[in-house]
Amino acid sequence: MARNDERRSALADAGIRVLAEEGARGLTHRAVDAAASTPRGTASNYFPTRDDLVSALVDRIGERLTPDPEVVLSGGAQSPDRELFAAYLRDIVRRLSADPHVSLALFELRLESARRPAVAKALGAWRQRAFQEDVAFNDGSGLPGGRTEIALFHYAIDGLMLDHLTVPLDTGLSVDAAIDEFVDRILQ
Amino acid sequence: MARNDERRSALADAGIRVLAEEGARGLTHRAVDAAASTPRGTASNYFPTRDDLVSALVDRIGERLTPDPEVVLSGGAQSPDRELFAAYLRDIVRRLSADPHVSLALFELRLESARRPAVAKALGAWRQRAFQEDVAFNDGSGLPGGRTEIALFHYAIDGLMLDHLTVPLDTGLSVDAAIDEFVDRILQ
């Protein structure tokens, strides 16, 4: 069972690489087997349909984007102010930047969700849950920013990451400086 | 010559449709001919390489995103305040929303620019020019917001449009309300 879980994760990681490097149309069971160096048919065994494969990728992206428990825990000892919130955001963006395949794969799936209802369903449910959790986390921890502010940060950070991971505009702002500007302005 | 220009635009529009509906990997000369209902070989005649085709799409996307002169002119008679700036942004987003193929095609090309240097070059130059023009426009017209604010709006509106055109989060904010919130907060 443990070995099966490992194989599942390895296949999903290979799928994330394929998505990031080839785009959504490149995501086939065969391409996943090739990227994972597994015998042909392995990916189909684990994820019989392409929708199953996409669902597994959404789950795995969620796992890989889960915050580092140490960062969350160390945050718990500090006062829940805008400085701490800015530190959280910088941590999120640092993780997204350190693992660009995950972010690029997620952007690919978001575009594919405009074309495929099954992708829309898997991805929409996951994103909505993550959004609700973010709102609840700020609420529960006393961090500044409610539902509206969290929504604005979601849009802002998405746009910033898309820029950062593709062809960045020369705006004179570093990524961290852009985050600080957003925190200063969105949290009034 | 005029007829050639028309044909060029029609082929580029077909390419934009293909990008939006099939994704970047679906963008081939053959797919463009099929979408434009032109004889096979026509797209290759106009745009010999895929890079030529992508350059033409970037140009055409730029044309289709150019603001309505009437909106710009009618703005010129008003005082250049944050209200007018918010009206401009709402006009941009309204145009992007009314023509979702163009926005989706642009997002596809941005993701492809992470994989293909030629796409990165064409798209990067165009986006940087548009950014500089936005900064110069605000400067020249006395509208509020300098280089930093324009950068933040670029990120914010990109993220908002990506959300709006794919699987929108339920955040309790309409698109126009999100724009107003961003204007209120970014323009301090």
Side-chain angles (χ1 to χ4, degrees):
Chain A
M1 185 59 182
R3 191 182 293 175
N4 269 2
D5 285 351
E6 254 174 52
R7 175 58 70 94
R8 253 185 105 79
S9 297
L11 285 166
D13 285 338
I16 288 170
R17 272 201 312 280
V18 169
L19 264 183
E21 289 173 359
E22 309 286 334
R25 289 245 308 194
L27 183 69
T28 61
H29 288 95
R30 191 186 292 199
V32 172
D33 281 333
S37 306
T38 44
R40 219 156 113 183
T42 311
S44 304
N45 260 345
Y46 278 78
F47 318 111
T49 68
R50 192 172 184 284
D51 290 348
D52 295 330
L53 178 57
V54 166
S55 277
L57 294 193
V58 170
D59 290 345
R60 183 67 183 148
I61 287 172
E63 279 171 33
R64 284 175 61 176
L65 290 183
T66 300
D68 181 344
E70 288 198 13
V71 171
V72 175
L73 285 174
S74 76
Q78 295 165 42
S79 61
D81 55 12
R82 52 199 303 144
E83 255 321 294
L84 182 60
F85 188 70
Y88 276 130
L89 283 188
R90 282 193 299 262
D91 176 60
I92 290 169
V93 169
R94 198 172 50 241
R95 281 184 291 111
L96 292 172
S97 305
D99 204 358
H101 277 169
V102 167
S103 299
L104 289 170
L106 189 50
F107 282 126
E108 289 287 347
L109 288 182
R110 289 183 65 184
L111 287 181
E112 206 184 357
S113 73
R115 298 187 285 263
R116 289 178 182 257
V119 178
K121 199 177 156 199
L123 197 61
W126 173 72
R127 290 188 69 233
Q128 188 65 35
R129 204 165 54 240
F131 173 72
Q132 302 290 139
E133 284 171 6
D134 287 346
V135 173
F137 178 73
N138 268 38
D139 238 28
S141 63
L143 278 169
R147 194 174 172 85
T148 294
E149 287 76 13
I150 301 285
L152 300 178
F153 279 116
H154 267 254
Y155 303 138
I157 300 294
D158 277 354
L160 180 63
M161 286 310 299
L162 180 61
D163 181 83
H164 180 51
L165 294 178
T166 56
V167 187
L169 282 176
D170 172 11
T171 65
L173 287 177
S174 68
V175 170
D176 277 357
I179 294 171
D180 288 346
E181 292 286 353
F182 273 124
V183 170
D184 275 353
R185 293 157 194 256
I186 290 177
L187 296 182
Q188 291 184 322
Chain B
M1 186 59 183
R3 189 181 294 171
N4 269 2
D5 284 351
E6 256 174 50
R7 174 61 68 93
R8 253 185 105 80
S9 297
L11 286 166
D13 285 337
I16 288 169
R17 273 200 312 281
V18 170
L19 263 183
E21 290 173 359
E22 308 286 335
R25 288 244 309 193
L27 183 70
T28 61
H29 288 94
R30 192 186 291 200
V32 171
D33 281 332
S37 306
T38 44
R40 218 156 114 187
T42 311
S44 303
N45 259 345
Y46 279 79
F47 319 111
T49 67
R50 193 172 183 284
D51 290 347
D52 296 330
L53 178 58
V54 166
S55 278
L57 294 193
V58 170
D59 289 345
R60 184 67 183 149
I61 287 171
E63 279 171 32
R64 285 175 61 177
L65 290 182
T66 299
D68 181 342
E70 286 197 15
V71 171
V72 175
L73 285 175
S74 76
Q78 295 166 42
S79 61
D81 56 11
R82 53 199 301 144
E83 254 321 295
L84 182 61
F85 188 70
Y88 276 129
L89 283 187
R90 283 193 298 262
D91 175 60
I92 290 170
V93 169
R94 197 172 53 240
R95 280 183 291 112
L96 293 172
S97 305
D99 203 358
H101 276 169
V102 166
S103 300
L104 289 170
L106 190 49
F107 282 126
E108 288 287 347
L109 288 182
R110 289 183 65 184
L111 287 181
E112 207 184 356
S113 73
R115 298 188 286 263
R116 288 176 183 259
V119 178
K121 199 177 155 198
L123 198 60
W126 174 72
R127 289 188 69 234
Q128 188 65 33
R129 205 166 52 238
F131 173 72
Q132 302 289 138
E133 284 171 5
D134 287 347
V135 173
F137 179 73
N138 269 37
D139 238 29
S141 63
L143 278 169
R147 193 174 172 86
T148 294
E149 287 77 12
I150 301 285
L152 300 178
F153 280 117
H154 268 255
Y155 303 139
I157 300 293
D158 277 353
L160 180 62
M161 286 309 300
L162 180 61
D163 182 83
H164 179 50
L165 294 178
T166 56
V167 188
L169 284 175
D170 173 11
T171 65
L173 287 177
S174 68
V175 170
D176 277 356
I179 294 171
D180 288 345
E181 292 285 355
F182 273 125
V183 171
D184 275 354
R185 292 158 195 256
I186 290 177
L187 296 183
Q188 290 185 323

